[in-house]
Amino acid sequence: MTSTVTGIGAAVRRKEDQRFITGQGHYTDDIRREGQLHAYFLRSPHPHATIKKIDTAKAEKMPGVAAVLTGVELAADKIGNLICGWAISSKDGSPMNMGPHPALAQGKVRHVGDQVAVVIAETLNQAKDAAAAIDVDYAVLTAVADPAKARDPKAAQIHDNAPKNTIYEWSLGDQAATDAAFKNAKHVTRLKIINNRMIPNAIEPRAAIGDYDAGTDSSTLWVTSQNPHVHRLVMAAFMGLAPENKFRVIAPDVGGGFGSKIFIYAEESVCLWAAKRLKRPVRWTGERSESFQTDAHGRDHVTSAELALDAGGKILGLRVKTIANLGAYMSTFSSSVPTYLYATLLSGQYDIPAIYCEVDAVYTNTVPVDAYRGAGRPEACYVIERLMEVAARELHVDPAELRRKNFIRKFPHQTPVIMAYDIGDHDATLKKALEIADVKGFGQRKQEASRRGKLLGLGYSTYIEACGIAPSAAVGSLGAGVGLWESAEVRVNPTGSVEILTGSHSHGQGHETTFAQLVCERLGIPIEQVTIVHGDTDKVQFGMGTYGSRSGPVGMTAIVKALDKIEAKAKKIAGHLLEASPGDIEFKNGKFTVAGTDKSLAFGEVALAAYVGHKFPTNEIEPGLKEGSFYDPTNFTFPSGCHICEVEIDPETGHTKIARWTAVDDFGVLINPMIVEGQVHGGIAQGIGQALLENCVYDDDAQLVTGSYMDYTMPRADDLPSFNVGTTVTKCPSNPLGIKGCGEAGAIAAPVALINAVTDAVGSEDITMPATAQTVWQAIQKTHRQRKAAE
Amino acid sequence: MPTVTLKVNGKKQSADVDPRTLLVQFLREHLRLTGTHVGCDTSQCGACVVHVNGHAVKSCTMFALSAEGADVLTIEGLANGSALHPMQEAFRENHGLQCGFCTPGMIMTAVDMVKRKGNDLDEETIRHELEGNLCRCTGYHNIVKAIAAGAKAMKSGAKTGKAA
Amino acid sequence: MHSFTYHRPVNVKAAQALLAKAKDASLLAGGQTLIPSLKLRLTDFDNIVDLKAIKGLDKIEVKGKNLLIGALATHGAVATSAVVKRAIPALAKLAGMIGDPAVRNVGTIGGSVANNDPAADYPGALLALNATVITSKRKIPADKFFKGLFETALGKGEIILQVSFPIPKKAGYAKFRNPASRFALVGVFVADDGKTARAAVTGAGEQGVFRSKELEAALKKGFKPESVAGVKVSANGLNSDIHAAADYRAHLIGVMAKRAIEAAA
């Protein structure tokens, strides 16, 4: 194979697929350790209660039981709490109110599913049988699930250090300028928005195996993680579970993450801790019902939003007030999601002179909420794109036209909410989407559908998002406890094959293929000779992991930087071998040549020479060919695009069928268009899921109603259409590859396109996500009643 | 403990099992065939689909003892030696998988689908037939494409693995 | 799952003997409901009597004016059976709408009927078709068989052997699915035996499957969609949950009834 078919831009079939299609993948639960024990967690059935007493005596005597552990033993061993690593301050300057989050409850449970005790036994059945024999004496407290009600002084007080359950009251933007803009407005569009709570539902449940080697006092953790080094860092530095230098974290094949496997959870912490106590491997694999009760949920905002426009439809200002539900505890990055990942994107694709956003984050007796595919950006996109659509309808202008009127066309563009957009061409994506969606023919299709008794609706979403998170100093100034660079090491072997050690982690994204394509392009070697190594702290130098669509723009750029160093050194060595000055050496298509001569060396020959070290002065050039890089991005990247959704509604039942879905995205340069399309498809499906099907429901007593697939609607194949996907390209100026990131775009753009289409079809803006058949039917009934009353 | 005797991927297997042992646990833990996955506890995700006596079955919802005397085919037995089954090939060719976790169940379901519904499968049929298989990564778009292509490829007379 | 003793009788007699002897026993047919319930520890039994090894209980045949379906016939077998498609096509269609293909390959009519899940499909068909449940002890008319949520007329040790369906002139089924579980949010089965029309509703009733008085009264005007157009079904006694309030279910009963008649064959 030549570099032209495996390099950048080629739809290379994935290298990793062989093991997955033959059942040879190695997910955490597939791994067995000699002498392993099974952990089973006893979880709270109450959303809020104090624990008066836990009697484990009977359970401890049950067959096969090795240990029953509770928060008492955890405290005795001085294991630290789980933490949130992003400090957000309130607008009055006070720090956020982070309540304690022990891996096993200490004195109190705060949500259904909170872990109360763990039984560790020879078999899982024995552990479960023993867990049923633990006697917990609870004093049940009142509970609250609704974020708006949580701030009522009479509501349940969840953490002592957070009065009125308030974590922070944060703001961004210029309040005075925004208020002034509204004073000058000719038209104001106002909306109340609920961004519904999502349960991530990677199909592989979370799992962990802790292991301890007493001989070397070293620990190993296999865990379903999107960022094994971050796991190791937090568990070592903050929880004190093992010293970082004697602690290996392995994230093997991981069956989807979508954010939920970024975070450090109680279960893996307990497995590691228990393994050390018992000197035997301890494993845990979540059951789906546990995933529902413990995987960090997503979204859950209540928002009021106002858009001020002048007489000509130009936006003057945007005012947003959001209450964000963070659940019972602050998960690892929870604080950043409704703040810097949300309010900073409220400007959308538009030139908005003034924006002011307030966000109040609250505790409730629900599962912690953290980043879920898109994290903050789908919520922002939903706010601005709902406002635009409704404003267009109120002003009786074409929604595409109103958007065009306000598009940013000069780059770079500084928004009033931190972000400096580097590049984009919103007219191009909109134009192409209008063509692919055949919006011109919509009127005719609507008439035809009407003859069949169906309602057709069209909805837009012209989105922008921020990926490639992020310049370390920038996020540091905003409160991040870590830098968000990425690392890479390029190891060229003496035989000319190459291993790339990357701090990014692939759990479906196809890095083993796309990262290899980059290497093929640069080094001109066959793709079979490139191996991507990731997910193991003993192999990879360090890494910040994969989330926020950062593996392309940040992770791959780190590889580019290391490859630059490889090329520079190899040129020096080639110069000696070819008896020419390094400046005269050219490297192209895997060959080093001396400019203007026919003298050349293949990449493999130089690699071998580098390790043999016979033919160059090793006092000037070290032997070997291995280089590393820690790359810190210079800006976020800003993928943008236009999604157009066309729905057909059966007014008799309220059922919505997606008739057409068009997505045109500008992701900059594409490394592998096949994989990019796949990412877009998956993102759209999750976005449609949120808007049409999925909803995490708690009742008034904070019991989880949607605790299984019997009640939580996962998108199935027959709920979805095939997608019409196109791209346009503006090359990202912030990284040498010109790429922007594509993992979250679909989930960001899709929900609002769908709701804009459904509200268009029904003729009512009063439809909240998810637009279930009942919701739509009720809206239709209400519209009918209003029309009748008006007649 | 009672004994179960059955054939898995063409090979006779016999083991003493706790009656609670599900077929999927027997495959994964006793036989260490870990290609068959567990993604839910309510028989909905389909990650555990295998063939029992030629029919697609959710192996998380069948006791190993109930499979007494049965002929079981798992993802590990689908390929004919090193030659992939056409449905496996179609999933790779059409990028019908991302994280790979639902993939074995999807492929086993797809092969069963072709057996029942033939080699010319339209999109609507495929989507409807996938009712019992969840994928969170692909949005199903490429899975649907892969199954249509795999179904056609199966017509050209490829071998269907070690069992039955 | 709690531990249990597993039994695998090879004939009905042996199964009956086991049930008579064993305390706290459950029959296991397809297990598509029982096994998940055991796994989630929602239920437990000391003895599980697996019927899989009993031969001949999956037979499907027409005898005289009746379609007889063996208790162990899978939903997949019923859905694809040429005999069923000829005799009562709506029943084949219904079977093809239960669960998903892998569930249909295992789940059985006997198990579904014995379980009487309020959102299951079969109970509606049995009621509307005026079927008879033939057990190891007696024959029970469908009207007397279903006794509320998950309750039936089956006594201890009684095993369903067959369900006998009088072949109607026309019958139809329409189902609006719960978007999550895909069980019936509302399912309406209508049948016309030439003299009277019956209509049964599943998924909607607080007490499980029921015959709709409103629909049956309306169908006296003739077995045609227009007869049920505009029929007001009362929301009293209907379920309300996160997926559908009672008034929406009441509305859907009317819509599904119309569609079931339109689809009837």
Side-chain angles (χ1 to χ4, degrees):
Chain A
M1 268 188 266
T2 67
S3 64
T4 52
V5 293
T6 58
I8 290 172
V12 178
R13 300 306 184 257
R14 299 200 322 169
K15 284 161 69 84
E16 45 271 81
D17 286 359
Q18 178 70 26
R19 66 179 185 273
F20 296 136
I21 57 180
T22 55
Q24 307 295 321
H26 286 292
Y27 301 89
T28 300
D29 188 64
D30 299 339
I31 294 160
R32 290 290 175 277
R33 302 294 296 166
E34 190 63 35
Q36 66 184 16
L37 295 164
H38 297 259
Y40 182 75
F41 288 86
L42 180 70
R43 299 184 181 281
S44 171
H46 305 296
H48 199 193
T50 49
I51 298 172
K52 287 153 71 182
K53 198 180 160 210
I54 306 176
D55 185 354
T56 59
K58 197 174 154 205
E60 280 165 23
K61 290 187 202 106
M62 303 262 294
V65 172
V68 182
L69 302 173
T70 68
V72 174
E73 288 79 23
L74 193 78
D77 281 1
K78 297 190 171 58
I79 302 301
N81 287 330
L82 295 155
I83 53 128
C84 174
W86 196 308
I88 297 291
S89 297
S90 285
K91 47 194 175 228
D92 67 4
S94 60
M96 65 186 188
N97 298 319
M98 180 160 67
H101 186 187
L104 291 171
Q106 289 170 353
K108 201 174 180 192
V109 287
R110 294 180 173 87
H111 67 88
V112 169
D114 209 351
Q115 44 287 328
V116 173
V118 63
V119 180
I120 295 155
E122 298 292 337
T123 73
L124 184 57
N125 277 329
Q126 287 171 334
K128 285 186 179 183
D129 289 342
I134 298 175
D135 189 13
V136 186
D137 189 4
Y138 293 104
V140 176
L141 303 168
T142 57
V144 62
D146 182 325
K149 288 180 188 157
R151 308 190 70 203
D152 186 326
K154 280 176 279 178
Q157 175 73 31
I158 298 166
H159 288 279
D160 294 342
N161 63 338
K164 293 205 295 182
N165 295 315
T166 302
I167 300 168
Y168 52 72
E169 293 174 336
W170 175 88
S171 71
L172 185 67
D174 187 334
Q175 185 172 19
T178 308
D179 289 347
F182 276 83
K183 281 207 180 96
N184 296 327
K186 279 281 171 298
H187 181 86
V188 176
T189 293
R190 294 188 173 87
L191 282 177
K192 295 262 182 234
I193 289 168
I194 292 172
N195 206 289
N196 47 329
R197 179 184 273 243
M198 298 284 95
I199 302 178
N201 276 305
I203 303 297
E204 180 204 24
R206 289 192 296 112
I209 307 170
D211 202 351
Y212 177 71
D213 181 337
T216 56
D217 181 35
S218 60
S219 300
T220 304
L221 176 71
W222 287 262
V223 63
T224 47
S225 172
Q226 299 178 217
N227 33 234
H229 283 92
V230 177
H231 257 87
R232 188 177 67 156
L233 174 61
V234 172
M235 293 172 91
F238 295 94
M239 304 182 74
L241 284 160
E244 203 174 4
N245 59 319
K246 290 183 175 183
F247 181 15
R248 178 183 188 184
V249 177
I250 302 170
D253 286 328
V254 173
F258 317 110
S260 69
K261 292 171 181 168
I262 298 172
F263 320 119
I264 289 75
Y265 288 94
E267 292 84 0
E268 56 252 32
S269 309
V270 168
C271 283
L272 191 72
W273 167 59
K276 195 167 180 175
R277 274 180 77 104
L278 299 168
K279 309 235 171 355
R280 282 177 68 179
V282 175
R283 64 179 303 122
W284 170 80
T285 297
E287 296 178 1
R288 181 57 54 187
S289 51
E290 291 183 285
S291 311
F292 275 90
Q293 294 181 12
T294 64
D295 290 8
H297 293 176
R299 320 283 191 254
D300 207 346
H301 285 194
V302 179
T303 294
S304 48
E306 303 166 279
L307 188 71
L309 300 112
D310 73 10
K314 282 283 289 174
I315 305 170
L316 299 173
L318 171 63
R319 203 158 45 195
V320 178
K321 167 95 200 190
T322 292
I323 300 174
N325 186 354
L326 294 193
Y329 301 100
M330 293 188 71
S331 174
T332 316
F333 290 111
S334 57
S335 54
S336 66
V337 177
T339 50
Y340 292 110
L341 295 177
Y342 166 64
T344 53
L345 271 303
L346 284 169
S347 194
Q349 297 187 347
Y350 315 112
D351 185 5
I352 304 181
I355 298 176
Y356 180 66
C357 177
E358 289 183 341
V359 178
D360 297 344
V362 299
Y363 285 119
T364 60
N365 294 110
T366 62
V367 172
V369 176
D370 207 323
Y372 166 65
R373 199 171 194 169
R377 291 152 290 167
E379 295 92 312
C381 179
Y382 194 88
V383 169
I384 183 67
E385 289 303 295
R386 270 300 282 152
L387 284 168
M388 290 303 279
E389 200 87 3
V390 175
R393 288 171 192 166
E394 288 173 352
L395 298 167
H396 304 288
V397 299
D398 174 24
E401 194 44 46
L402 186 70
R403 286 175 166 86
R404 254 190 227 111
K405 192 166 277 174
N406 288 284
F407 276 164
I408 294 161
R409 292 194 176 80
K410 270 177 73 183
F411 295 93
H413 172 91
Q414 178 62 53
T415 70
V417 278
I418 300 179
M419 291 300 180
Y421 300 157
D422 52 5
I423 201 160
D425 185 344
H426 306 318
D427 290 292
T429 48
L430 175 60
K431 181 167 178 280
K432 192 165 179 181
L434 290 168
E435 285 164 16
I436 296 176
D438 185 23
V439 170
K440 274 190 186 146
F442 174 73
Q444 208 180 338
R445 293 196 293 278
K446 193 174 170 75
Q447 280 181 8
E448 184 274 325
S450 164
R451 283 195 289 275
R452 289 185 287 114
K454 301 289 195 283
L455 306 170
L456 227 56
L458 192 76
Y460 295 85
S461 167
T462 53
Y463 77 94
I464 191 162
E465 58 141 334
C467 291
I469 181 167
S472 296
V475 292
S477 74
L478 305 179
V482 289
L484 288 169
W485 42 265
E486 195 46 272
S487 88
E489 184 173 300
V490 178
R491 281 189 200 163
V492 179
N493 296 318
T495 55
S497 62
V498 173
E499 288 148 48
I500 303 290
L501 290 81
T502 171
S504 299
H505 183 276
S506 186
H507 31 279
Q509 294 86 346
H511 295 169
E512 289 171 46
T513 306
T514 47
F515 289 13
Q517 284 179 256
L518 166 62
V519 177
C520 294
E521 176 87 15
R522 283 293 301 269
L523 301 182
I525 58 174
I527 200 160
E528 295 75 23
Q529 291 184 19
V530 185
T531 298
I532 308 300
V533 179
H534 66 104
D536 185 341
T537 59
D538 261 15
K539 291 180 180 169
V540 176
Q541 53 292 342
F542 208 94
M544 294 312 297
T546 288
Y547 40 83
S549 309
R550 65 192 305 274
S551 302
V554 189
M556 287 183 90
T557 302
I559 299 172
V560 169
K561 299 290 181 188
L563 285 168
D564 289 346
K565 294 180 193 173
I566 291 283
E567 186 176 321
K569 181 172 179 183
K571 273 181 175 170
K572 281 190 205 167
I573 294 168
H576 284 281
L577 301 178
L578 294 167
E579 294 168 332
S581 130
D584 290 335
I585 302 289
E586 287 175 354
F587 181 57
K588 228 173 128 183
N589 297 331
K591 273 200 169 132
F592 296 90
T593 52
V594 182
T597 74
D598 59 357
K599 288 204 284 185
S600 77
L601 284 169
F603 178 75
E605 294 177 276
V606 176
L608 183 60
Y611 282 92
V612 175
H614 293 174
K615 294 189 176 167
F616 55 90
T618 53
N619 56 344
E620 285 173 29
I621 308 168
E622 289 177 10
L625 196 53
K626 183 191 93 163
E627 298 289 350
S629 163
F630 281 67
Y631 168 73
D632 198 33
T634 57
N635 191 359
F636 288 85
T637 65
F638 298 97
S640 62
C642 175
H643 286 219
I644 300 177
C645 168
E646 190 171 315
V647 295
E648 180 177 305
I649 290 173
D650 174 359
E652 281 191 327
T653 62
H655 180 259
T656 298
K657 181 184 148 200
I658 299 167
R660 287 169 182 237
W661 196 284
T662 304
V664 175
D665 302 288
D666 178 356
F667 296 131
V669 173
L670 307 184
I671 305 296
N672 183 324
M674 175 190 83
I675 287 177
V676 168
E677 277 193 18
Q679 290 292 309
V680 172
H681 298 158
I684 296 171
Q686 270 167 299
I688 292 173
Q690 172 167 23
L692 194 62
L693 305 161
E694 297 176 49
N695 199 24
C696 173
V697 179
Y698 281 92
D699 67 15
D700 289 343
D701 300 323
Q703 283 287 344
L704 178 61
V705 179
T706 50
S708 82
Y709 290 150
M710 298 299 281
D711 283 308
Y712 187 87
T713 310
M714 285 286 281
R716 289 180 172 86
D718 60 2
D719 292 316
L720 302 172
S722 283
F723 310 112
N724 301 308
V725 176
T727 51
T728 61
V729 177
T730 59
K731 217 174 142 182
C732 179
S734 311
N735 63 65
L737 291 166
I739 61 181
K740 298 184 183 179
C742 62
E744 295 159 291
I748 292 165
V752 68
L754 188 129
I755 293 297
N756 283 341
V758 171
T759 50
D760 179 47
V762 174
S764 160
E765 305 301 345
D766 195 15
I767 291 175
T768 54
M769 296 191 287
T772 62
Q774 173 172 246
T775 300
V776 172
W777 179 78
Q778 284 167 340
I780 292 170
Q781 300 311 305
K782 200 171 158 191
T783 324
H784 281 181
R785 281 196 300 272
Q786 284 165 348
R787 271 192 205 136
K788 270 195 184 153
E791 273 163 15
Chain B
M1 280 196 290
T3 306
V4 63
T5 304
L6 72 174
K7 217 163 155 199
V8 179
N9 298 333
K11 203 171 147 195
K12 195 177 154 189
Q13 303 284 357
S14 196
D16 295 341
V17 294
D18 180 323
R20 288 179 277 188
T21 308
L22 300 164
L23 179 58
V24 67
Q25 292 168 330
F26 180 75
L27 295 170
R28 288 180 56 81
E29 285 154 30
H30 289 253
L31 305 183
R32 299 294 294 133
L33 293 168
T34 56
T36 303
H37 297 147
V38 178
C40 78
D41 38 25
T42 50
S43 316
Q44 274 155 322
C45 82
C48 66
V49 169
V50 301
H51 294 184
V52 175
N53 296 328
H55 297 294
V57 159
K58 292 187 165 171
S59 64
C60 76
T61 314
M62 177 181 262
F63 292 121
L65 288 170
S66 288
E68 175 68 30
D71 198 344
V72 177
L73 179 68
T74 74
I75 188 71
E76 288 92 345
L78 193 62
N80 188 7
S82 61
L84 291 177
H85 186 281
M87 194 57 79
Q88 292 173 309
E89 199 64 83
F91 267 69
R92 170 159 63 191
E93 186 56 29
N94 291 280
H95 189 29
L97 62 148
Q98 290 182 25
C99 81
F101 195 79
C102 76
T103 310
M106 284 284 178
I107 290 176
M108 298 310 285
T109 297
V111 172
D112 177 73
M113 190 189 306
V114 177
K115 277 190 184 168
R116 289 182 294 105
K117 299 273 168 179
N119 298 86
D120 286 311
L121 297 172
D122 61 29
E123 180 175 343
E124 200 188 334
T125 303
I126 297 170
R127 286 185 181 275
H128 177 65
E129 284 283 322
L130 285 179
E131 194 171 3
N133 293 75
L134 297 176
C135 169
R136 194 56 151 170
C137 295
T138 65
Y140 303 99
H141 180 114
N142 285 339
I143 290 177
V144 173
K145 262 172 70 183
I147 293 175
K152 284 206 170 64
M154 279 170 71
K155 202 178 202 168
S156 19
K159 302 260 172 14
T160 49
K162 287 172 191 159
Chain C
M1 189 181 314
H2 295 275
S3 63
F4 57 80
T5 307
Y6 176 86
H7 309 273
R8 194 179 167 88
V10 293
N11 56 46
V12 174
K13 221 174 185 180
Q16 278 180 290
L18 276 164
L19 289 177
K21 202 171 63 185
K23 264 203 299 196
D24 191 31
S26 172
L27 292 174
L28 171 67
Q32 301 303 285
T33 300
L34 178 63
I35 295 177
S37 307
L38 291 169
K39 282 195 319 196
L40 294 168
R41 297 196 174 209
L42 300 174
T43 183
D44 65 274
F45 296 96
D46 294 338
N47 292 281
I48 297 285
V49 180
D50 190 345
L51 301 175
K52 241 175 227 77
I54 302 180
K55 298 247 183 325
L57 269 189
D58 59 353
K59 205 166 163 191
I60 299 172
E61 60 183 336
V62 169
K63 260 197 183 158
K65 290 177 179 168
N66 294 302
L67 170 68
L68 294 172
I69 301 181
L72 292 187
T74 63
H75 310 319
V78 173
T80 54
S81 157
V83 175
V84 179
K85 282 182 181 171
R86 225 173 10 245
I88 314 178
L91 198 60
K93 193 181 144 198
L94 173 146
M97 291 163 85
I98 301 172
D100 57 62
V103 167
R104 291 196 285 276
N105 280 338
V106 184
T108 66
I109 186 170
S112 173
V113 169
N115 189 47
N116 191 20
D117 187 307
D121 297 282
Y122 268 128
L126 265 69
L127 269 189
L129 288 166
N130 199 15
T132 300
V133 180
I134 300 165
T135 76
S136 51
K137 293 182 178 159
R138 57 192 165 139
K139 294 180 176 177
I140 313 170
D143 280 331
K144 300 241 162 91
F145 184 84
F146 299 108
K147 301 266 182 192
L149 303 179
F150 300 101
E151 295 290 333
T152 68
L154 287 172
K156 189 182 176 318
E158 191 168 10
I159 302 172
I160 299 177
L161 303 179
Q162 270 180 324
V163 182
S164 171
F165 295 93
I167 298 169
K169 200 173 139 206
K170 257 183 158 191
Y173 183 58
K175 167 182 180 177
F176 195 79
R177 296 179 303 184
N178 174 318
S181 70
R182 299 289 177 109
F183 276 74
L185 200 64
V186 168
V188 177
F189 201 103
V190 291
D192 176 17
D193 67 4
K195 283 177 272 170
T196 49
R198 292 164 66 112
V201 178
T202 189
E206 275 174 343
Q207 290 306 311
V209 67
F210 65 93
R211 282 172 63 191
S212 165
K213 284 192 209 82
E214 294 103 324
L215 291 176
E216 292 189 356
L219 285 170
K220 292 207 163 83
K221 289 179 276 174
F223 194 78
K224 47 187 198 285
E226 305 84 76
S227 300
V228 296
V231 168
K232 285 269 172 288
V233 176
S234 167
N236 283 341
L238 299 188
N239 254 336
S240 272
D241 57 29
I242 58 164
H243 301 290
D247 68 330
Y248 179 52
R249 277 194 163 92
H251 166 77
L252 284 177
I253 290 172
V255 178
M256 291 302 117
K258 188 183 76 176
R259 292 183 185 182
I261 299 165
E262 280 166 359

